[in-house]
């Protein structure tokens, strides 16, 4: 993830509202609905805004699904470590995320799409059948940053090319990132028919690597600020895509 890419275009969530499984209501949802109704006079738009904010902003943790329901896994990296020459290496957080993937695979063998930092750790541990998701490069050979949405799309496009559509994706990521990872997969439901869920009973790492090469992943305050910015942008895109009342 990268702060400047958190505002990158993501597919609108409007189509999801009609077709994807409904998200669990947030305890504060009724209060937000009442506030929007009071501020906007009980209009239909007030309800749309409240529902969008509840889904994208209030619900920070992803819905879960039992391992038996997962058809594939998408593992999202979190930070990295930079060598003296600027070369990026996976770092301890992505090693921890790779361990979560290992635990899941011991319980259920499913295809795994892993962002390169996680895939490389798994390969070093002898797990070579992970579908590695790596950044693209521009015409000058410069690496194009791989965003959260980019990882999700690469995984979904690969599955579609293999003739697979729909199903539940097990989302592996940092605890504070996993919610947006699942939301991003859900945002592609209209095109790919899939949903993102955290594996039930499988704890996700919640600590922060203060030596991460990505400054916004070094502490909770920095990341949650960046993550909220991304969620707000996603909410705005959803509202803009809604048809006029």
């Amino acid at each position: 993830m990268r702060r400047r890419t958190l505002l990158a275009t993501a597919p609108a969530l409007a189509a999801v509202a009609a077709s994807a499984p409904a998200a669990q209501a947030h305890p504060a949802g009724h209060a937000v609905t009442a506030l929007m109704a009071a501020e906007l006079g009980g209009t239909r738009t007030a309800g749309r805004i409240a529902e969008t904010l509840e889904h994208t902003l209030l619900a920070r943790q992803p819905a879960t699904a039992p391992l038996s329901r997962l058809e594939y896994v998408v593992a999202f990296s979190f930070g990295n470590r930079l060598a003296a020459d600027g070369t990026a290496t996976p770092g301890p957080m992505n090693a921890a995320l790779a361990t979560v993937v290992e635990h899941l695979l011991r319980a259920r063998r499913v295809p795994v799409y892993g962002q390169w930092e996680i895939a490389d750790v798994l390969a070093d541990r002898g797990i070579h059948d992970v579908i590695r998701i790596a950044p693209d490069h521009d015409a000058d050979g410069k690496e194009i940053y791989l965003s959260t949405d980019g990882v999700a799309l690469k995984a979904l496009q690969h599955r579609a090319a293999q003739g697979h559509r729909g199903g539940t994706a097990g989302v592996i990521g940092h605890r504070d990132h996993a919610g947006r990872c699942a939301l991003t997969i859900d945002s592609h439901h209209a095109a790919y028919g899939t949903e993102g869920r955290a594996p039930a009973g499988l704890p996700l790492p919640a600590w922060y690597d203060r030596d991460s090469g990505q400054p916004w992943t070094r502490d909770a305050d920095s990341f949650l600020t960046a993550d909220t910015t991304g969620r707000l942008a996603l909410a705005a895109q959803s509202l803009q895509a809604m048809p006029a009342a």
Side-chain angles (χ1 to χ4, degrees), residues 60-121:
R60 308 300 295 200
Q61 300 303 315
T64 62
L67 297 186
S68 60
R69 189 171 137 200
L70 305 182
E71 296 187 20
Y72 65 105
V73 167
V74 184
F76 296 81
S77 68
F78 194 82
N80 57 33
R81 283 290 181 89
L82 297 180
D85 63 357
T87 302
T89 60
M93 171 54 69
N94 291 309
L97 291 168
T99 298
V100 177
V101 175
E102 287 186 281
H103 290 323
L104 187 151
L105 290 176
R106 291 192 191 107
R108 180 168 173 79
R109 296 296 300 185
V110 291
V112 174
Y113 293 86
Q115 197 164 349
W116 73 265
E117 296 93 335
I118 297 172
D120 287 359
V121 173

Side-chain angles (χ1 to χ4, degrees), residues 30-47 49-50:
H30 291 303
V32 174
T33 300
L35 175 63
M36 289 294 99
E39 292 289 335
L40 302 179
T43 62
R44 183 179 176 187
T45 297
I49 292 174

Side-chain angles (χ1 to χ4, degrees), residues 210-224:
R210 302 195 71 84
D211 295 317
S212 172
Q214 297 176 331
W216 58 96
T217 63
R218 292 174 184 167
D219 62 84
D221 286 329
S222 297
F223 178 71
L224 293 174

